[in-house]
Each structure stands twice: as C-alpha cells, then as structure tokens.
C-alpha cells in the first residue's frame, strides 16, 4: 500500500515520510533504514563534523542503493562551507537546510543535481527559501523536538501551503508520531511529513538506549521549549530559535531562571558537560518533541513507517467512505 503525493513523485519514494536530519541521531544506519523502507532518509549533518560526515556518508553508500538526503544547520554550515562539497560528493538526492538563509548554498546544491529542501518556521522564511530556489519546503511547528520557533503545526502548515500555492510540495513537521498525524497533515494540505522524535525511538537511531527509553516513558506534556540546554552546553543559537527537550531535573531547576543560570554559567556548564559525558539524562537533555505522547516502543524504522502509512490510509479511506455516505 502507498499514499502517493507530489512529495513521493518529486523524491521518487514510496511513502510520504521523511527522516529529520537529527544531529548525531540520524546516522547512516537510520538514514539507510528509512530509505530502504520506502521513505526518505536524511543524514543528520547537524552542526558539521567533518570526520563524522565522511565516516557516515561512506557507511550510508554501502548500506543503501535507495535515495537519501543530507541535512545541515545552515548558520553552522556557513562557518565551514567545505562540508557541503563533501556532502555533494556522495551524490545525495537532496540537501536539507534549516535555520538560516539558504541562498549562499542554493546554486551549488542545484548545480550538483540535488534537490534543495528548506525547513521554515514563518512565511518570511518560506519566501526567502522559495527565492533561493527551494524544491521542497518543510513547515515546522513549535511541537517539534529540537530547535524551532513558536508557531504551531496546525497554524504554520496551511499558511505555508497557501504561500507555496502548489509550486512546491510542503512537508509538515512537529509533533507527528503516528498515522493520525500523517492523515491530519495531508488534510492541512501537506504532501507528507518529516519525523524526528518518532524515529529517535527506533532500533537504528544512534541515540543512547536510556534516552530512547525516556522518550517512550514520557507522556504528552513532558517536554519544554526554551534556551536552558543551549545555555548549559554554551551553544548559543540565533533568534528566534529555541530548543524543545524532555523535562528533566535540570530543566525543572532552571526553566524561568535563565538570568540566574547566566550568572553561574561556568559552574553549570561544567556540571552539564560532565553529565553529557556520563549519559546522565537527569541533567543532560534528551532532545525530543511533543510527539512523545504517542511513542511507546522502540521498533525498527521500517515498522514505524508501515504502521504510520497503514493507519493513515485507513483513516483517509474511512473519511472517503463516510463522505460518500452523506446524503446528497
Ligand atoms: C534529537 C533531535 C535532533 C535534531 N537535530 C536537528 C538538526 O541537526 N538539524 C535540523 O534541521 N533539525 C533538527 N531537528 C529538528 C527536526 O528537523 C524536525 O523539525 C523535528 O524533529 C520534527 O518534529 P518531531 O521531533 O516532533 O518529529 C532535531 C530534532 C530532534 C528530535
């Protein structure tokens, strides 16, 4: 079974499901697993680590002959633009850029024959991306795990769909973890979904086992968006971006006390770095979004895709049937 949309056509994939390029978590194994299962895996180039990128792209080429993409955090890529040469050298089907102006990189990406996917959080960013020649827009809502902004998925997706006006497919991201989410995104006019948190809790994700277990144990409402974890790891992001992660002891201690945190940052940063090294997730953040409420297990990525597509297909079919059953 498949759900065909303009996204599946443009990417040449079977299911309208994209793996988010999660820094460190979306390695070669998970990217290949998603692509091999008929979705579109996007390797998490993140902030840009040359050794990691070379190792994971080499592994990826060995693990799949299916199409894949590579993602970068745009403002960070601008500091080491040669990483884009390495990425394009692996002949990805697409490069995904998030968080910053894609224009400086767009020509090189398109000249190399790759599609340009841009993740946006506002109409202004979508216009900037379309101006740069984006082939696909990802409209990201505040429910998303990791960095993002303030608009909800149910608001931003139709807004960007209207703005794109059928010129490029729009993908919904943020808070989507099951077939209901995919069906709802399609109803909002999206041509597919991009999933981060759901794939974090998969067998192939490169995350710590304990982090995956915490995602499964978390309930709806157990995440928070803010700047605590960026401050604590001394990784300052440009406005308007903040980060969403699971609420843990560290978040409970500092959320809303950012000024005090700043005053004691040296001590807290040292404590935080030690916790990250030890895998102590009472202090170190598990980066995850509001979809945790519908995530209860750690299956293979292929199982996740199959479940989501099957459930969405049934829901969409039910809707078609009930619409047909309405009196004329
Ligand atoms: C652990 C984690 C790491 C992430 N890292 C990145 C990243 O490096 N680059 C990026 O563009 N987006 C990153 N994101 C955000 C995703 O691109 C995407 O917007 C988000 O995962 C979608 O929401 P969801 O988590 O509810 O599925 C990350 C998300 C998570 C959960």
């Amino acid at each position: 079974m498949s759900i065909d949309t303009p996204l599946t056509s443009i990417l040449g994939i079977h299911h309208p499901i994209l793996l988010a390029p999660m820094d460190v978590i979306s390695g070669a194994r998970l990217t290949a697993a998603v692509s091999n299962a008929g979705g579109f895996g996007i390797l998490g180039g993140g902030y840009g680590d040359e050794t990691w990128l070379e190792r994971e792209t080499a592994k990826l080429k060995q693990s799949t002959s299916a199409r894949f993409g590579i993602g970068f955090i745009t403002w960070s890529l601008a500091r080491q633009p040669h990483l884009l040469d390495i990425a394009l050298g692996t002949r990805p089907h697409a490069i995904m850029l998030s968080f910053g102006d894609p224009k400086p990189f767009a020509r090189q990406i398109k000249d190399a024959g790759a599609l340009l996917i841009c993740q946006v959080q506002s109409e202004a960013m979508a216009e900037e991306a379309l101006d740069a020649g984006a082939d696909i827009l990802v409209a990201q809502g505040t429910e998303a795990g990791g960095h993002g902004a303030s608009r909800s998925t149910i608001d931003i997706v139709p807004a960007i769909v209207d703005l794109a006006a059928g010129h490029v497919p729009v993908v919904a991201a943020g808070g989507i973890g099951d077939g209901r989410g995919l069906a709802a995104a399609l109803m909002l006019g999206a041509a597919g979904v991009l999933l981060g948190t759901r794939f974090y809790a998969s067998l192939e994700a490169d995350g710590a086992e304990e982090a995956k277990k915490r995602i499964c144990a978390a309930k709806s409402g157990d995440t928070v968006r803010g700047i605590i974890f960026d401050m604590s790891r001394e990784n300052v992001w440009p406005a308007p971006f903040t980060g969403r992660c699971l609420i843990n002891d560290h978040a409970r201690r500092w959320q809303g006390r950012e000024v005090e945190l700043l005053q004691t940052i040296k001590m807290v940063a040292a404590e935080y770095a030690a916790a990250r090294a030890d895998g102590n997730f009472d202090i170190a953040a598990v980066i995850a979004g509001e979809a945790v409420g519908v995530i209860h297990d750690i299956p293979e990525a292929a199982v996740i895709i199959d479940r989501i597509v099957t459930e969405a297909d049934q829901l969409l079919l039910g809707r078609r049937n009930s619409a047909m059953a309405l009196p004329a």
Side-chain angles (χ1 to χ4, degrees):
M1 167 219 317
S2 64
I3 298 173
D4 299 326
T5 73
L7 182 72
T8 56
S9 304
I10 191 173
L11 286 174
I13 54 175
H14 202 59
H15 301 303
I17 298 181
L18 276 47
L19 165 67
M22 295 177 282
D23 181 41
V24 189
I25 306 299
S26 301
R29 213 169 142 230
L30 179 56
T31 305
V34 170
S35 287
N36 289 338
F40 190 71
I42 308 181
L43 191 78
Y47 295 94
D49 171 337
E50 189 166 338
T51 312
W52 183 92
L53 187 64
E54 284 186 327
R55 187 187 65 229
E56 296 299 313
T57 47
K59 271 205 260 172
L60 184 54
K61 294 293 273 186
Q62 281 165 9
S63 339
T64 185
S65 53
R67 295 174 168 194
F68 64 86
I70 301 176
F72 289 105
I73 292 168
T74 320
W75 62 260
S76 189
L77 180 64
R79 293 179 179 168
Q80 28 182 358
H82 69 285
L83 295 183
L84 185 57
D85 303 333
I86 298 174
L88 289 171
T90 67
R91 307 209 56 73
H93 199 61
I95 293 286
M96 175 165 158
L97 299 179
S98 311
F99 314 119
D101 183 4
K103 204 168 257 158
F105 308 105
R107 178 65 20 234
Q108 188 186 352
I109 293 167
K110 293 167 88 72
D111 283 352
L115 296 170
L116 173 60
I117 304 176
C118 294
Q119 181 158 242
V120 301
Q121 292 80 17
S122 71
E123 288 86 343
M125 292 180 204
E127 271 160 10
E128 189 175 60
L130 289 173
D131 249 22
D135 300 291
I136 296 169
L137 293 178
V138 178
Q140 187 212 42
T142 191
E143 297 90 327
H147 288 90
S150 56
R151 306 260 300 268
S152 68
T153 300
I154 202 165
D155 167 30
I156 194 76
V157 172
I160 302 300
V161 167
D162 289 348
L163 185 140
H167 295 304
V168 301
V170 175
V171 176
I176 300 165
D178 61 15
R180 292 173 294 182
L182 170 56
L186 296 175
M187 288 295 114
L188 292 176
V193 292
L194 174 121
L195 308 180
T197 304
R198 175 59 276 196
F199 282 125
Y200 193 148
S202 70
L203 277 179
E204 296 93 342
D206 281 342
E209 202 52 36
E210 170 64 15
K212 295 182 188 180
K213 284 186 183 150
R214 284 186 183 225
I215 288 176
C216 294
K219 296 191 183 61
S220 175
D222 285 351
T223 69
V224 66
R225 179 168 286 288
I227 57 172
I228 298 298
F229 81 91
D230 275 341
M231 287 176 76
S232 305
R233 62 182 182 170
E234 298 186 285
N235 177 13
V236 177
W237 269 62
F241 304 115
T242 54
R244 184 177 292 284
C245 57
L246 293 184
I247 297 171
N248 61 2
D249 289 350
H250 191 70
R252 269 188 286 271
R253 180 172 171 205
W254 292 112
Q255 191 75 20
R257 296 176 56 215
E258 287 79 2
V259 174
E260 284 168 76
L261 174 58
L262 199 58
Q263 285 160 352
T264 51
I265 195 64
K266 283 290 159 228
M267 192 190 73
V268 176
E271 182 192 39
Y272 193 83
R276 282 183 88 189
D278 293 348
N280 173 1
F281 294 109
D282 289 333
I283 294 179
V286 174
I287 299 174
E290 293 188 338
V292 291
V294 297
I295 298 172
H296 312 298
D297 58 0
I298 308 171
E300 290 179 350
V303 172
I304 293 174
I305 291 176
D306 184 59
R307 266 191 213 158
I308 291 179
V309 174
T310 305
E311 186 185 10
D313 188 66
Q314 279 165 4
L315 290 168
L316 295 167
L317 186 70
R319 187 182 166 279
R320 279 198 296 274
N321 287 344
S322 59
M324 278 159 55
L326 287 176

